[in-house]
Amino acid sequence: MTGFARKTSPLAILALVTVAVASIGGCQPRSAWHATDVSGAVPALRLSMTRTRDGKVVSAADYRGSVTMLYFGYTYCPDVCPLTLANVGRVLKQLGSAANRVSVLFVTVDPDRDTPALLNQYAAAFGPNVDALRGDPDQLASLARRYRVAYSVTPHGSGGSYEVTHSSGIYVFDRDGNARLLVSSLSTGKPDIGGTASDLRVLLR
């Protein structure tokens, strides 16, 4: 090490220090998201589903320019879905008028029971930002596969009872339709309302 020190000029040492500082700076996160950053790991928004409030088959182009939240659930869900959507409503309330540029897509995983009329009523209960989307089994399976969303619907006997499971995270896409965040806390008893609102503000800029 002494030999190295004798042969290294002050300018060379300065250059090495500069590179080291730059490298350390490059290791720091570019932004402090509260939700999980999925940029580059999840595909852009792409879908073809029927929006129940107007019967229109919508695609990602219909939501271009808005920050879009994509959530899978079903109207008969006893707890997680209403809790999650109610917390989304709290987040949007914090955004004030900026919430007008946020679209919430509620995709039913139980289209056999979730009729358009029922979905319209359900979505309306959580505010004007929520669009209920319904597809046939192939459309639903394709969309769920694209975003690695697990779900299953199992009827039990003739009594009308069902067992339904589904992922509870919310994907957030920026105004260009790029996947940016996965929000997991809104389906829990300790939702990060302020943090999620802060993340959406960043994406809305």
Side-chain angles (χ1 to χ4, degrees):
M1 290 296 297
T2 16
F4 175 80
R6 281 199 302 268
K7 292 178 183 177
T8 305
S9 70
L11 286 177
I13 293 173
L14 178 61
L16 288 171
V17 171
T18 303
V19 169
V21 170
S23 299
I24 292 170
C27 291
Q28 300 305 311
R30 287 177 295 174
S31 54
W33 296 108
H34 296 83
T36 303
D37 186 354
V38 296
S39 302
V42 172
L45 184 62
R46 190 176 75 195
L47 55 86
S48 178
M49 306 284 279
T50 300
R51 185 168 58 195
T52 59
R53 65 176 166 84
D54 56 9
K56 178 183 177 181
V57 176
V58 295
S59 67
D62 292 280
Y63 298 97
R64 187 63 57 92
S66 298
V67 168
T68 304
M69 306 178 77
L70 178 66
Y71 178 63
F72 292 75
Y74 65 113
T75 65
Y76 287 84
C77 183
D79 40 32
V80 174
C81 297
L83 173 64
T84 302
L85 291 173
N87 283 330
V88 168
R90 293 172 62 193
V91 170
L92 296 180
K93 189 174 181 180
Q94 288 205 4
L95 295 179
S97 60
N100 294 330
R101 294 183 286 137
V102 178
S103 297
V104 182
L105 308 185
F106 176 74
V107 178
T108 178
V109 300
D110 188 12
D112 286 344
R113 291 189 298 172
D114 282 347
T115 64
L118 186 56
L119 283 164
N120 286 340
Q121 182 181 9
Y122 192 81
F126 296 101
N129 299 71
V130 182
D131 279 352
L133 302 184
R134 187 171 180 268
D136 62 33
D138 288 340
Q139 289 171 321
L140 174 59
S142 175
L143 187 62
R145 186 165 54 248
R146 181 172 176 82
Y147 297 108
R148 304 167 196 161
V149 169
Y151 71 94
S152 67
V153 180
T154 308
H156 288 298
S158 57
S161 62
Y162 276 65
E163 180 181 341
V164 181
T165 61
H166 63 91
S167 302
S168 59
I170 301 174
Y171 282 110
V172 181
F173 301 82
D174 64 24
R175 292 182 296 170
D176 293 320
N178 300 308
R180 301 299 301 276
L181 301 170
L182 176 62
V183 181
S184 303
S185 74
L186 299 185
S187 62
T188 71
K190 294 183 178 180
D192 187 2
I193 304 297
T196 305
S198 176
D199 287 347
L200 294 184
R201 285 192 195 98
V202 172
L203 294 176
L204 284 166
R205 288 178 192 148

